[in-house]
């Protein structure tokens, strides 16, 4: 669609999984050497130096479990855990879905600091991390998640790495190397990492190279492989720390590069535009097709993210405070969206962020953390799909990129105290966020003849007059917003003894709308939709007669959790209910099929909804060497007025896993059934249920002090069943992977 004004024509987005083993008294996370191959699963609700919490369920994938489960994307790595489903987009982009919701209602962190990519803006945007370089992945909920703001309403996923060393390596050096081969997508992966120490300084370097082709799908799909599902990743990081007995301070540079395909992509609907509330998908007048070429090219994304981190953790640095934590980061992110040889849009996100946390000494029996965060970011990319189209002659108007500027200040507090068998914890956070759109560049391409006409009409300052009018009109269509979200949580846990406890948590969380929810105005070809945000001229949202700055998504939630830990039986079952006011979602206005590819006209608006569900698992140790686990989850979501279903809410799941060890040899097998989803939104189709069978075999050899070798094979979807994720925006174009076996060897020292 032409966005410029041309003469003679019109002017024209879990409680994560219950823990496998829940500790009644949660200890700080152990600092495992990077080279160690650890078969344990650690559960932690707090990092080193923080006030310990009994309230926050947190499943930490680490050691061998993480090595075996990890895929190229974060969503695929976590999918299958109780309460966690997958929002997939081929082999390159995948996001975790926790208790029925994904980004932007999940915050992704890098060792406690926000990641700052653009994965919350559209489902085809990958989370800018490589699970192959992570030491652990934590999922945090409850009062401890409040400190990360309203985007953590359904949890915070914390990515733990070693790029800033926190301790000196034993023996002066430690490291690991790993190679993998996957049958289902011809995956070839090599990973290496090393940490060396000298005096009080530690240096770290790591890198991964992964190449995966189009992945196999079951033959029932009508093809043997999914076209354009390839993914290629290269990542590396270098860092250094100064380490003392009281703590450390260090810095690291990380680069993530990824090229991946967009299966099912079509640019035929690039011509779609609106006339009021009517979607029209044919060229006419000033509206045309920005591609003008066959819809047969491969569409893909080229991603690059450069990030600098400064991290510091010290004990007893300040009077009255037992621990001081500092996180500073600067992220320079960009990705190009390419169709054949055409660069049709580019997303960028440049963000500086600072965060400080102070854990105080016991005060009136309470221990806790107070902190502050400041974020300053510049984002661009939405509403642009014609970068490859030259600016026309004898035309004038604004041109991309269009920069969205965000400034946020937040303060937070969390406290806990024990009263005998009763533990209580509360947390508070207040934010002040301002978002505005910068004045865009103006361009005019007039021949001398037209310049003479405009001089006659407007005078010698015609260019300045037109620029002022166009920029003023643009800023009026994209007004700035201010939000002041506030969140609070209160929890209590009653310890009955013999490992039994019951926890109750009440929370109120406010989330400000993100950039797409506010400013979308145009086609999102990845999701085959034309979208209108709530801050632009949106007739659907205007029915409520409110300004976009007045909309804060407000969630009142109650969580009840029963736990049993210790002995042969470990159980955690959670029931939750969320009453959400001003839930921001894309309402269907109409579906247009004029091009042959269905295109949905979606207008963001706000409504009151509710989420309710249950998730949990029970693990029974049959013998010292074997364990049986049963797990499951279920979420139900509806609008409170009219009872309509919300889109992309995954159906329930029930599964079982058996694990056994024979000395150096270990194995597990898992069967999970995902039920069919019949509760669908107006523009969705039903999703059939499916069974998923996975299994792992691993053999570990100790080669000497601190040196070991592990060989493993992990099979997924071993029955090669055709399966679709209901949470995916492109479920029919992007089925889940067919049968695949990943063979790996990992050497640690």
């Amino acid at each position: 669609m032409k966005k410029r004004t041309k003469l003679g024509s019109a002017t024209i987005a879990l409680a994560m999984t219950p823990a496998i083993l829940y500790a009644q008294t949660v200890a700080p996370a152990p600092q495992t050497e990077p080279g160690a191959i650890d078969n344990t699963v650690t559960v932690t609700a707090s990092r080193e130096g923080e006030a310990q919490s009994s309230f926050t369920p947190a499943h930490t994938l680490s050691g061998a479990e993480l090595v075996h489960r990890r895929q190229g994307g974060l969503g695929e790595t976590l999918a299958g855990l109780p309460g966690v489903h997958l929002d997939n987009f081929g082999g390159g982009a995948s996001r975790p879905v926790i208790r029925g919701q994904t980004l932007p209602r999940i915050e992704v962190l890098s060792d406690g600091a926000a990641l700052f990519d653009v994965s919350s803006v559209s489902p085809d945007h990958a989370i800018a991390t490589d699970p192959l370089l992570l030491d652990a992945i934590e999922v945090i909920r409850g009062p401890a998640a409040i400190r990360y703001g309203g985007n953590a309403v359904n949890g915070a996923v914390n990515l733990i790495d070693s790029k800033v060393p926190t301790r000196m390596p034993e023996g002066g050096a430690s490291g690991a190397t790993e190679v993998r081969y996957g049958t289902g997508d011809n995956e070839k992966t090599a990973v290496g990492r090393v940490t060396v120490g000298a005096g009080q300084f530690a240096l770290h370097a790591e890198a991964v190279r992964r190449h995966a082709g189009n992945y196999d799908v079951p033959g029932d799909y009508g093809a043997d492989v999914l076209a354009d599902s390839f993914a290629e990743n290269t990542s590396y990081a270098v860092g250094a720390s100064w380490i003392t007995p009281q703590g450390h301070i260090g810095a690291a540079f990380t680069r993530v590069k990824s090229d991946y395909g967009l299966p099912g992509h079509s640019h035929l609907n690039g011509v779609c535009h609106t006339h009021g509330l009517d979607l029209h998908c044919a060229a006419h007048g000033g509206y045309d097709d920005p591609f003008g070429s066959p819809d047969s090219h491969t569409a893909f994304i080229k991603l690059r993210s450069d990030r600098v981190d400064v991290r510091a953790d010290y004990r007893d640095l300040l009077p009255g405070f037992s621990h001081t934590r500092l996180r500073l980061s600067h992220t320079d992110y960009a990705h190009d969206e390419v169709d054949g040889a055409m660069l049709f849009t580019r997303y960028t996100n440049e963000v500086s962020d600072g965060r400080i946390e102070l854990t105080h000494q016991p005060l009136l029996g309470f221990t806790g953390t107070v902190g502050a965060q400041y974020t300053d970011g510049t984002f661009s990319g939405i509403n642009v799909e014609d970068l490859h189209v030259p600016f026309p002659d004898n035309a004038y108007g604004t041109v991309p990129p269009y920069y969205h500027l965000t400034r946020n200040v937040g303060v937070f507090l969390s406290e806990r105290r024990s009263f005998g068998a009763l533990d209580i914890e509360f947390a508070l956070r207040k934010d002040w966020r301002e978002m505005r759109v910068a004045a865009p560049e103006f361009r005019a391409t007039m021949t001398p003849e037209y310049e003479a006409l405009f001089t006659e009409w407007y005078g010698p300052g015609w260019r300045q007059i037109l620029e002022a009018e166009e920029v003023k009109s643009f800023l009026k269509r994209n007004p700035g917003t201010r939000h002041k979200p506030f969140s609070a949580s209160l929890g209590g846990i009653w310890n009955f003894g013999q490992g039994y406890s019951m926890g109750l948590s009440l929370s109120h969380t406010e989330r400000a709308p993100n950039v797409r929810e506010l400013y979308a105005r145009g086609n999102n070809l990845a999701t085959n939709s034309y979208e209108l945000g709530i801050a632009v001229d949106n007739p659907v949202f205007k029915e409520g007669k409110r300004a976009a700055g007045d909309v804060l998504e407000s969630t009142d939630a109650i969580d009840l959790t029963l736990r049993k830990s210790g002995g042969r039986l470990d159980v955690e079952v959670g029931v939750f209910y969320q009453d959400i006011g001003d839930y921001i979602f894309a309402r269907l206005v109409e579906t247009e099929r004029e091009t042959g590819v269905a295109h949905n006209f979606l207008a963001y608006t706000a409504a009151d909804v509710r989420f309710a569900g249950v998730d949990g698992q029970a693990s029974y140790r049959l013998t010292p060497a074997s364990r049986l686990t049963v797990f499951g989850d279920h979420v139900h979501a509806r609008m409170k007025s009219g009872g309509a279903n919300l889109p992309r809410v995954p159906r329930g799941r029930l599964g079982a896993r058996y694990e056994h060890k024979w000395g150096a040899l270990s194995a597990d097998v898992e069967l999970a059934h995902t039920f069919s989803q019949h509760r669908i939104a107006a523009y969705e189709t039903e999703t059939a249920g499916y069974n998923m069978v996975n299994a792992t075999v691993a053999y570990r050899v100790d080669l000497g002090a601190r040196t070991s070798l592990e060989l493993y094979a992990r099979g997924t979807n071993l029955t090669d069943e055709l399966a679709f994720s209901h949470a995916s925006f492109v479920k029919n174009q992007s089925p889940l992977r067919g049968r695949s076996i990943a063979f790996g060897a990992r050497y640690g020292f």
Side-chain angles (χ1 to χ4, degrees):
M1 180 176 68
K2 199 177 294 292
K3 295 182 176 64
R4 293 105 182 184
T5 302
K6 188 173 181 180
L7 300 181
S9 65
T11 302
I12 341 240
L14 160 19
M16 146 79 191
T17 91
I20 287 182
L21 299 174
Y22 187 88
Q24 284 295 118
T25 302
V26 184
Q31 301 296 314
T32 305
E33 289 294 334
I37 299 177
D38 184 8
N39 288 310
T40 64
V41 177
T42 304
V43 176
T44 175
S46 57
R47 303 297 297 160
E48 180 183 0
E50 297 179 0
Q52 296 178 1
S53 171
S54 301
F55 304 97
T56 307
H59 189 136
T60 300
L61 285 178
S62 63
E65 186 181 15
L66 175 59
V67 170
H68 301 159
R69 297 188 68 104
R70 60 192 177 186
Q71 302 282 344
L74 183 63
E76 284 191 289
T77 299
L78 294 175
L81 300 174
V84 183
H85 291 253
L86 171 66
D87 168 12
N88 72 308
F89 211 112
S94 65
R95 308 183 301 181
V97 179
I98 301 176
R99 286 187 164 179
Q101 301 183 68
T102 185
L103 282 70
R105 297 175 178 91
I106 298 171
E107 187 71 88
V108 181
L109 310 168
S110 176
D111 196 42
L115 195 60
F116 297 120
D117 50 26
V118 297
S119 56
S120 65
V121 178
S122 186
D124 60 317
H125 300 167
I127 296 174
T129 189
D130 198 318
L132 294 162
L133 291 176
L134 298 178
D135 297 334
I137 304 174
E138 298 179 323
V139 181
I140 306 169
R141 282 191 53 83
I146 291 291
R147 69 177 66 179
Y148 302 113
N151 286 349
V153 59
N154 261 41
V157 179
N158 197 18
L159 311 176
I160 306 301
D161 56 59
S162 297
K163 58 190 178 184
V164 176
T166 61
R167 59 186 297 179
M168 301 299 294
E170 186 178 349
S174 65
T177 185
E178 180 180 354
V179 292
R180 288 165 51 111
Y181 174 76
T183 62
D185 55 5
N186 197 29
E187 176 199 358
K188 302 179 185 69
T189 298
V191 186
R193 58 195 302 174
V194 63
T195 304
V196 297
Q200 290 184 294
F201 287 92
L203 304 176
H204 178 84
E206 61 186 26
V208 60
R209 178 79 170 111
R210 178 179 180 269
H211 174 84
N214 294 330
Y215 63 69
D216 292 348
V217 292
D220 293 346
Y221 184 64
D224 294 328
V225 298
L226 181 63
D228 300 333
S229 61
F230 63 88
E232 187 171 310
N233 309 85
T234 301
S235 301
Y236 65 84
V238 291
S241 293
W242 179 49
I243 301 173
T244 72
Q246 286 71 43
H248 70 277
I249 184 170
F253 171 79
T254 305
R255 168 163 288 182
V256 177
K257 296 181 67 176
S258 180
D259 294 358
Y260 60 91
L262 302 176
H265 176 89
S266 172
H267 66 230
L268 290 178
N269 288 323
V271 70
C272 295
H273 56 276
T274 59
H275 301 282
L277 286 178
D278 177 49
L279 182 66
H280 191 202
C281 292
H284 66 87
Y287 300 98
D288 57 15
D289 181 358
F291 294 92
S293 61
D295 194 12
S296 57
H297 298 129
T298 292
F300 62 98
I301 285 180
K302 295 178 66 68
L303 179 157
R304 175 200 51 81
S305 177
D306 291 343
R307 179 180 172 109
V308 175
D309 285 278
V310 176
R311 301 173 182 172
D313 287 88
Y314 279 93
R315 293 180 296 275
D316 301 319
L317 181 66
L318 300 173
F321 294 96
S322 60
H323 186 264
T324 301
R325 162 178 280 202
L326 178 68
R327 295 292 183 267
L328 304 175
S329 69
H330 180 80
T331 302
D332 184 0
Y333 172 98
H335 82 237
D336 291 343
E337 300 190 4
V338 183
D339 193 323
M342 298 178 293
L343 169 62
F344 64 93
T345 190
R346 171 175 290 152
Y347 280 80
T348 67
N349 200 26
E350 186 169 356
V351 184
S352 297
D353 181 70
R355 182 183 183 94
I356 187 169
E357 300 179 7
L358 302 173
T359 301
H360 65 77
Q361 300 284 359
L363 178 65
L364 301 176
F366 284 90
T367 57
T369 299
V370 61
Q373 181 178 2
Y374 175 79
T375 307
D376 194 327
T378 301
F379 164 88
S380 71
I382 63 171
N383 307 331
V384 178
E385 61 186 40
D386 57 358
L387 286 182
H388 59 288
V389 179
F391 195 89
D393 293 331
N394 290 324
Y396 65 88
T398 60
V399 294
Y402 305 119
Y403 292 108
H404 297 76
L405 312 178
T406 301
R407 183 172 296 174
N408 191 93
V409 176
V411 294
F412 52 89
L413 170 71
S414 64
E415 297 287 339
R416 72 178 302 266
R417 182 178 176 179
S418 295
F419 297 88
L422 176 65
D423 297 333
I424 64 168
E425 180 172 350
F426 68 88
L428 309 169
R429 174 159 175 145
K430 178 67 177 180
D431 285 89
W432 294 265
R433 192 194 78 175
E434 177 184 3
M435 186 179 293
R436 64 183 180 89
V437 184
E441 178 188 350
F442 174 82
R443 187 173 300 172
T445 55
M446 302 298 181
T447 61
E449 294 79 8
Y450 278 106
E451 285 193 13
L453 282 175
F454 274 78
T455 300
E456 180 181 344
W457 295 339
Y458 294 96
W462 65 268
R463 183 181 297 268
Q464 290 77 15
I465 293 172
L466 291 180
E467 179 175 0
E469 291 178 351
E470 287 291 304
V471 171
K472 181 179 179 181
S473 176
F474 177 88
L475 295 178
K476 184 177 180 180
R477 299 193 308 269
N478 296 272
T481 60
R482 295 174 182 265
H483 291 89
K484 299 178 182 180
F486 172 76
S487 299
S489 181
L490 173 65
I493 187 168
W494 185 268
N495 302 291
F496 301 113
Q498 298 183 337
Y500 287 93
S501 65
M502 178 173 288
L504 178 67
S505 177
L506 306 173
S507 64
H508 172 84
T509 305
E510 294 178 351
R511 183 184 75 87
N514 76 351
V515 64
R516 179 169 290 279
E517 294 166 331
L518 284 169
Y519 296 110
R521 186 203 296 268
N523 291 308
N524 185 347
L525 298 181
T527 59
N528 291 316
S529 60
Y530 186 98
E531 301 174 3
L532 281 179
I534 64 175
V536 301
D537 189 14
N538 180 338
V540 174
F541 175 71
K542 283 185 174 180
E543 292 174 359
K545 298 181 179 179
R546 289 190 299 164
D550 295 334
V551 177
L552 274 176
E553 190 174 280
S554 176
T555 302
D556 294 322
I558 181 170
D559 291 80
L560 181 65
T561 306
L562 174 66
R563 303 182 180 98
K564 160 65 174 68
S565 62
R568 302 177 70 175
L569 177 66
D570 289 277
V571 178
E572 181 168 323
V573 178
V575 180
F576 67 93
Y577 178 84
Q578 297 175 341
D579 189 317
I580 309 177
D582 280 344
Y583 184 84
I584 303 166
F585 73 105
R587 173 174 287 167
L588 177 68
V589 178
E590 70 164 306
T591 300
E592 175 63 68
R593 293 180 170 83
E594 190 166 355
T595 65
V597 177
H599 207 59
N600 294 317
F601 181 11
L602 304 176
Y604 284 96
T605 188
D608 296 339
V609 306
R610 67 171 182 83
F611 279 75
V614 58
D615 48 39
Q617 65 181 24
S619 177
Y620 186 76
R621 189 165 294 280
L622 302 169
T623 69
S626 63
R627 180 171 60 182
L628 176 65
T629 302
V630 178
F631 57 88
D633 53 64
H634 174 76
V635 177
H636 185 208
R638 294 180 72 86
M639 293 188 190
K640 295 174 68 176
S641 177
N645 296 307
L646 293 174
R648 294 177 299 280
V649 176
R651 189 62 164 146
R653 179 174 51 200
L654 186 63
R657 179 173 58 254
Y658 177 74
E659 306 164 68
H660 199 103
K661 291 184 179 181
W662 301 269
L665 179 66
S666 63
D668 66 70
V669 60
E670 178 182 282
L671 169 63
H673 176 74
T674 298
F675 296 91
S676 58
Q677 180 57 288
H678 304 296
R679 298 184 177 124
I680 58 176
Y683 57 95
E684 292 186 304
T685 58
E686 295 184 357
T687 304
Y690 58 89
N691 297 310
M692 195 63 65
V693 179
N694 306 319
T696 307
V697 177
Y699 185 77
R700 175 179 172 176
V701 181
D702 290 324
L703 302 177
R706 302 183 298 105
T707 305
S708 58
L709 173 69
E710 184 184 61
L711 307 175
Y712 65 89
R714 178 169 174 81
T716 54
N717 196 6
L718 292 175
T719 58
D720 201 33
E721 184 162 350
L722 181 61
F724 300 91
S725 169
H726 188 76
S728 173
F729 281 77
V730 289
K731 69 169 184 177
N732 293 323
Q733 300 101 305
S734 184
L736 300 181
R737 297 174 184 267
R739 181 188 299 115
S740 181
I741 301 176
F743 299 93
R746 180 174 171 86
Y747 173 76
F749 63 91

